[in-house]
């Protein structure tokens, strides 16, 4: 028997169609017909942030690329060492849905005084900002091999990695979420960082989620 799916909202964006639906007592976001994120099983998103914070002596300022349903933001705010979390999210609707539907799943993270949400394209924002961060956590795609838009491919290549390096404070770390392992991307990271770790998180169906954490720029 197929589960009942209730479509709550569907809208067009410059990047295509985005849909919010409710299924089995959870919310799901679909982008151009492809599953993007949901309010269940945020273990890998939380691990990405926690493992990154554990690598830094003073993780005072955090950048999160992609708001999602708020799991990454919520995890960052759990640490009393964190003074500010800047979240860059391109979709106005995802910010809106976090306020309307997802607040209880993220412990009302958007209402925390340490949270600053920037509605922008991360790729463009990175080129324009002068801010520096102790930790950068990126979850704007399904991974380096499965980007939401073609333009996002540059984030995982030479130009994007060089720009990200310019946003990092000394001794900082950067983390990437991925829906699958990517040996080519791990090798590329090793060209820019002295330490690259791969964490895997088992999921109910399919291959494990993967988090790459890169430390100590070369």
């Amino acid at each position: 028997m197929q589960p009942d799916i209730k479509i709550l909202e569907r809208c067009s964006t410059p990047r295509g169609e985005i849909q919010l639906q409710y299924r089995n007592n959870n919310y799901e976001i679909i982008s151009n017909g492809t599953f993007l994120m949901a309010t269940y099983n945020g273990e890998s998103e939380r691990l990405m942030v926690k493992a990154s914070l554990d690598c830094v002596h003073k993780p005072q300022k955090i950048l999160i690329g992609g708001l999602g349903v708020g799991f990454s933001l919520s995890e960052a705010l759990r640490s009393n060492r964190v003074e500010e979390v800047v979240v860059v999210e391109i979709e106005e609707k995802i910010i809106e849905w976090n306020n309307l539907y997802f607040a209880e799943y993220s412990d009302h993270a958007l209402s925390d005084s340490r949270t600053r949400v920037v509605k922008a394209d991360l790729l463009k924002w990175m080129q324009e900002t002068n801010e520096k961060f102790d930790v950068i956590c990126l979850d704007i795609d399904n991974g380096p091999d499965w980007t939401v838009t073609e333009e996002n491919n540059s984030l995982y290549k030479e130009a994007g990695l060089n720009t990200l390096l310019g946003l990092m404070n000394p001794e900082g770390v950067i983390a990437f979420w991925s829906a699958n392992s990517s040996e080519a991307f791990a090798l590329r990271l090793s060209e820019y960082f002295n330490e690259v770790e791969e964490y895997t998180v088992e999921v109910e169906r399919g291959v494990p989620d993967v988090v790459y954490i890169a430390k100590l720029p070369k």
Side-chain angles (χ1 to χ4, degrees):
M1 183 177 179
Q2 293 294 323
D4 290 332
I5 297 177
K6 181 180 181 181
I7 298 176
L8 302 175
E9 196 167 348
R10 181 187 290 133
C11 60
S12 296
T13 78
R15 290 151 296 282
E17 184 181 83
I18 188 170
Q19 175 176 304
L20 176 66
Q21 61 190 37
Y22 191 70
R23 181 171 69 94
N24 292 341
N25 300 316
N26 274 283
Y27 297 97
E28 299 175 331
I29 297 177
I30 309 298
S31 175
N32 294 320
T34 300
F35 174 85
L36 195 61
M37 63 196 78
T39 53
Y40 51 80
N41 192 21
E43 183 180 355
S44 56
E45 289 90 340
R46 293 187 183 280
L47 179 145
M48 174 179 66
V49 175
K50 185 180 185 306
S52 298
L53 295 180
D54 288 345
C55 293
V56 179
H57 180 57
K58 290 185 178 180
Q60 297 175 328
K61 189 167 182 176
I62 315 301
L63 170 63
I64 294 178
L67 176 58
V69 297
F71 288 137
S72 299
L73 173 59
S74 175
E75 187 63 35
L77 295 171
R78 288 177 185 268
S79 173
N80 57 17
R81 298 185 297 158
V82 172
E83 297 180 358
E84 183 180 23
V85 184
V86 178
V87 183
V88 179
E89 172 57 55
I90 194 170
E91 299 293 355
E92 182 69 40
K93 277 296 178 183
I94 288 183
I95 299 172
E96 179 183 317
W97 292 340
N98 267 266
N99 282 308
L100 291 176
Y101 301 102
F102 309 151
E104 64 179 288
Y105 298 92
S106 67
D107 302 317
H108 299 270
L110 288 185
S111 300
D112 194 295
S113 62
R114 295 172 292 168
T115 299
R116 173 158 58 95
V117 178
V118 178
K119 189 218 170 283
D121 181 339
L122 179 67
L123 297 180
K124 293 179 181 178
W125 183 86
M126 292 191 316
Q127 300 288 341
E128 299 168 356
T129 187
N130 294 318
E131 298 188 62
K132 301 286 186 178
F133 300 90
D134 303 302
V135 173
I136 299 174
C137 294
L138 302 179
D139 183 11
I140 67 169
D141 295 298
N142 280 323
D145 299 331
W146 188 5
T147 58
V148 174
T149 65
E150 185 176 347
E151 292 79 6
N152 283 0
N153 283 311
S154 64
L155 180 68
Y156 306 96
K157 296 182 179 178
E158 181 178 355
L161 292 175
N162 281 324
T163 301
L164 288 167
L165 284 171
L167 302 182
M168 295 176 65
N169 281 327
E171 307 299 319
V173 304
I174 184 167
F176 298 83
W177 187 93
S178 179
N180 57 273
S181 180
S182 174
E183 182 178 353
F185 181 61
L187 287 172
R188 188 175 303 129
L189 283 177
S190 68
E191 297 175 2
Y192 290 83
F193 297 88
N194 285 323
E195 296 182 49
V196 178
E197 294 187 56
E198 178 179 306
Y199 296 79
T200 59
V201 178
E202 296 295 330
V203 297
E204 186 175 344
R205 296 180 181 177
V207 298
D209 291 341
V210 176
V211 172
Y212 292 101
I213 295 182
K215 300 177 286 185
L216 301 176
K218 288 185 175 177

